[in-house]
Amino acid sequence: MAGWLRTVPGLAASTAVTTLAAAAATALFTGAVHLWPASPESKVSLSVETDPMRLDAEGDLIQLVPAARFDHSRPQNGCAGFWSWARSRGGVDEEQTTMQLTVTNSGSNTVLITGMRAQVTSRQPVSHVVEAQCRTQGEAKVYAVHIDLDKPQPYGLYDKDGKSLPPDFTVAAGDLETFLVTARIGHGAAHWKLAVDLVEDGHKRSIVVDDNGKPFTTVTRPAHPTVWELDPHGGGWLRPAGEDVPAGQASGSS
């Protein structure tokens, strides 16, 4: 199991104070946007990073933006500012939502993570959206937990020896572990929260993670969407090869 867990470099596991300091430093470095304690008596906390440019996995950045709010303005700093630009215009994740989840155990006993699951709060059809892209290079190979949002009970699984298994990770006392959690959808749109099930000091607990007070939103790619691609070199918005520019729409306005 050690091969499926990664420890933040430089973390000292000798005391709870050192662990919390390391977790705080990790949050500042990664830009983690949320922090959840399990309960007042718990020594476990979770932090989550959702900006794709800050994750340990690289790939193309894609957001579905309501057509009425796609204004052709350029994100500041190109692809580095793409995610916040899209979210400020109502952008949602196309086909998958990926987050970097850090579980910190500041207690004196090992914590067992027994499951990760999506709590779907609602489903709906896909509305009229524009597909906005910023193409990046490379793909990092990381250990990951996957969730299928199309299932009635979307439980997280990870691959081990060719098999898909429920999480059964441990977090040592005074330590932390980081996971890449990806939730995918193939039908409609889902609003959901992430629940992490764990056993701490012999007690079963669940910590529910959301998107800064709101559910995460993952939307299926519409058939034949209008597509705009951001030139990462500052050239504005372009139509990919084979795509026609809608009448009256200019590309690359600022």
Side-chain angles (χ1 to χ4, degrees):
M1 189 58 59
W4 287 88
L5 299 175
R6 294 180 293 110
T7 303
V8 173
L11 175 66
S14 58
T15 66
V17 173
T18 304
T19 300
L20 290 176
T26 301
L28 289 174
F29 177 76
T30 63
V33 291
H34 316 299
L35 179 67
W36 291 266
S39 63
E41 66 274 14
S42 175
K43 300 299 182 182
V44 177
S45 61
L46 271 61
S47 62
V48 168
E49 174 58 76
T50 53
D51 186 340
M53 291 299 289
R54 297 178 180 269
L55 303 183
D56 284 345
E58 298 178 358
D60 295 332
L61 307 179
I62 301 176
Q63 289 279 285
L64 296 177
V65 180
R69 300 182 65 181
F70 184 77
D71 57 7
H72 296 266
S73 61
R74 300 176 187 175
Q76 293 184 352
N77 303 319
C79 285
F82 173 84
W83 187 84
S84 58
W85 174 91
R87 288 305 172 99
S88 68
R89 288 159 177 77
V92 294
D93 298 322
E94 180 187 88
E95 295 193 340
Q96 68 178 47
T97 295
T98 301
M99 68 189 75
Q100 189 161 297
L101 171 69
T102 300
V103 181
T104 303
N105 175 16
S106 60
S108 56
N109 297 316
T110 296
V111 168
L112 174 64
I113 299 175
T114 60
M116 297 182 192
R117 51 198 165 86
Q119 295 181 340
V120 178
T121 59
S122 64
R123 299 183 184 273
Q124 64 188 52
V126 179
S127 58
H128 185 42
V129 292
V130 170
E131 182 183 89
Q133 308 174 349
C134 195
R135 299 290 181 180
T136 59
Q137 299 296 322
E139 181 177 352
K141 295 185 179 300
V142 296
Y143 302 118
V145 174
H146 300 281
I147 299 175
D148 184 351
L149 292 173
D150 290 322
K151 293 187 174 181
Q153 296 181 324
Y155 285 95
L157 300 170
Y158 76 100
D159 294 328
K160 181 181 181 182
D161 299 329
K163 298 179 180 179
S164 293
L165 303 173
D168 55 352
F169 307 113
T170 59
V171 185
D175 210 342
L176 63 82
E177 300 293 352
T178 302
F179 309 90
L180 198 68
V181 181
T182 300
R184 293 184 170 88
I185 194 168
H187 301 88
H191 302 286
W192 58 281
K193 300 179 181 181
L194 177 67
V196 179
D197 301 320
L198 51 88
V199 177
E200 178 188 8
D201 296 329
H203 299 285
K204 293 182 179 180
R205 306 186 191 278
S206 294
I207 309 177
V208 179
V209 176
D210 58 26
D211 190 9
N212 198 23
K214 304 178 296 182
F216 298 103
T217 301
T218 312
V219 178
T220 307
R221 187 180 193 268
H224 312 296
T226 300
V227 180
W228 288 96
E229 183 174 330
L230 180 67
D231 182 351
H233 305 293
W237 291 97
L238 308 172
R239 296 284 282 167
E243 296 277 352
D244 295 327
V245 178
Q249 295 279 4
S251 63
S253 61
S254 60

